[in-house]
Amino acid sequence: MLTNPSQALIRNSKYFHQHNVLVLNYEADTFAHQCLEFAENVTALALDFNHHLTLSSYANNKLQCYFGHQLPDSLVDTKFDTVIIYFAKAKPLMGYLLQLAAQHLRIDGQLMIVGENKGGIKSIDKLTPDYYSPPIKQDNARHCLVYVSYLTQVAPRLSISDWVSQYSLDTPQGKLQICNVVGVFSEKRLDQGTELLLLHLPNNLHGRVLDFGCGAGVITAALLKANPKLAMECIDINAMALLSCELTLAANNMHAKIYPSDGFHQIDGQFDAIISNPPFHDGLASTTDIATQFVKASAISLAPKGVWQIVANRHLPYADTIATHFGKVNVLAENNKYKLYFHQR
């Protein structure tokens, strides 16, 4: 089943007929594979690891699938006839995607942008850099808009440092430097949930510790600041978050294992501690399914005598789920927005 934006693109397949196509920030469907009915070749870059897994099983000699914040070094100078961008849910990310697209378009190459009406795509004309022609609306279908633009001049070379903000953060564990790449949650300041968690981090941790949904790596950096001997593992589904975490740890001269994982599916073994401000959004919508699956998988992955501590929005139904899988609910701290849950085996 194609998402609405993908269906809108299929309606407009005439624009990329027999083209070499690059698809950026695609959604959890097989559009890039179906695109081969019209295009000559397709290269697809996912910023969401789940979306990458959805498509990668269809890879063949005409469909190349990648996950990350940019294409691999071997393709850094590859040019395409058309680049398709799925409008980013985090609007600041669009500037990055537009410059990334320009690195891979030949002059006069075609840019297509698709997005849901409610997702902010109507602002695309204000977001598009001047090395593109003004984007023109070509279709309005499936509650989505499709715009077409063309690369009119060579764009500035993409530098990740141009898309990273860095700030100093005072935590109970000590001062940290935090690096945030555009599009990452709580990009310019510490969110209130993580702030509550840092105030109550356990100080007797040891061994292998998981930071689930690591984001910019704030929790991991705080834990390593307090105890550099921890064997930290940082997982996230988002490529920009993983890059942010990597940059944050490097800025603080810290080291951890950082890798993509769709939930707990890509991790092995058990952890002596799981510490997290877990995500509860899927796209534009809040969902309780993520919370339920996270708690269930945590209970399986927590070692004997292990520590499990998370912060969550008060309105999410964590208490019942925790009671089901851990047997007891301990609330260490709370405020008007968040609760801090704790369990030790």
Side-chain angles (χ1 to χ4, degrees), residues 78 83 91 100 108 120 131 140 146 161 214 216 239 247 249 320 322:
T78 303
V83 177
K91 193 179 293 187
L100 178 61
D108 296 326
Y131 42 80
N140 184 349
V146 177
S161 60
C214 62
L247 294 173
L249 296 188
D320 291 343
I322 295 169

Side-chain angles (χ1 to χ4, degrees), residues 18-29:
Q18 295 186 330
H19 282 199
N20 292 321
V21 177
L22 172 62
V23 184
L24 298 178
N25 194 41
Y26 62 86
E27 298 185 340
D29 66 17

